[in-house]
Amino acid sequence: MPTKLTNDAYSALPCAYLVLEGVLVMPKEYQEAMVALQAQKTGEFTIYHCLAGHSPHLSWTEGVIDTVQDFLKKIGV
């Protein structure tokens, strides 16, 4: 049973996406296109890139932390 979306967080909140260049099943070009499509509907995304694969929180921990902190500064939190 489909549920109607009543609160679109992508439109209401600042958004960011971390493109994982090491993911083999979803090339970076696909990830970037996916984000661009969503941004057309809801507004700007901040895009970050890393060379990590599927689990950057395990293989690129400091980079993930730095990226989150950078985004929080950008949005004024």
Side-chain angles (χ1 to χ4, degrees), residues 17-32 34 48-57 59-60:
Y17 187 86
L18 179 61
V19 175
L20 305 174
E21 297 184 12
V23 173
L24 301 178
V25 296
M26 193 163 43
K28 72 175 186 162
E29 295 81 11
Y30 180 84
Q31 295 175 64
E32 291 165 345
M34 179 180 64
Y48 295 95
H49 289 83
C50 79
L51 298 176
H54 182 71
S55 300
H57 62 289
S59 62
W60 196 61

Side-chain angles (χ1 to χ4, degrees), residues 18 48 50 56-73:
L18 179 61
Y48 295 95
C50 79
H57 62 289
L58 298 175
S59 62
W60 196 61
T61 306
E62 289 299 317
V64 171
I65 292 168
D66 292 343
T67 301
V68 170
Q69 288 175 336
D70 181 73
F71 183 64
L72 291 174
K73 286 178 191 172

